[in-house]
Amino acid sequence: GLIIGALTCWLLIKLRLTFVGFPLHPLGFVAWYGWPIDRYWLSIFIGWALKSAILRYGGYRTFHKFRPSTNSDLSPMGSSSAGRPP
């Protein structure tokens, strides 16, 4: 089983590096069997579907606009300096 899994991961890595639009990621293969996928599959699917639709119909610029900001306005602390080390 270990050899088959390693070969499958190697094949997925090779296909992903060879073909730019190859949709399957090796980490998805590794993580598909376990509690995270059982619990979070719908969120993962919705995120993937939104990303695919935005990239297909809006392009990279639109995708970049919709990505979450890393500014302090999204942080739980807001823009104040409270809680930050001096």
Side-chain angles (χ1 to χ4, degrees), residues 43-66:
S43 298
I44 293 169
F45 177 73
I46 291 171
W48 169 81
L50 286 172
K51 177 184 175 185
S52 297
I54 290 170
L55 282 173
R56 175 170 289 206
Y57 299 112
Y60 183 75
R61 277 191 194 167
T62 306
F63 174 70
H64 190 62
K65 286 180 192 176
F66 280 101

Side-chain angles (χ1 to χ4, degrees), residues 23-75:
L24 301 178
H25 197 281
L27 286 177
F29 171 72
V30 171
W32 79 275
Y33 187 72
W35 73 267
I37 297 302
D38 290 342
R39 180 173 288 177
Y40 301 120
W41 69 270
L42 184 60
S43 298
I44 293 169
F45 177 73
I46 291 171
W48 169 81
L50 286 172
K51 177 184 175 185
S52 297
I54 290 170
L55 282 173
R56 175 170 289 206
Y57 299 112
Y60 183 75
R61 277 191 194 167
T62 306
F63 174 70
H64 190 62
K65 286 180 192 176
F66 280 101
R67 286 180 56 193
S69 173
T70 56
N71 296 353
S72 60
D73 21 326
L74 293 180
S75 73

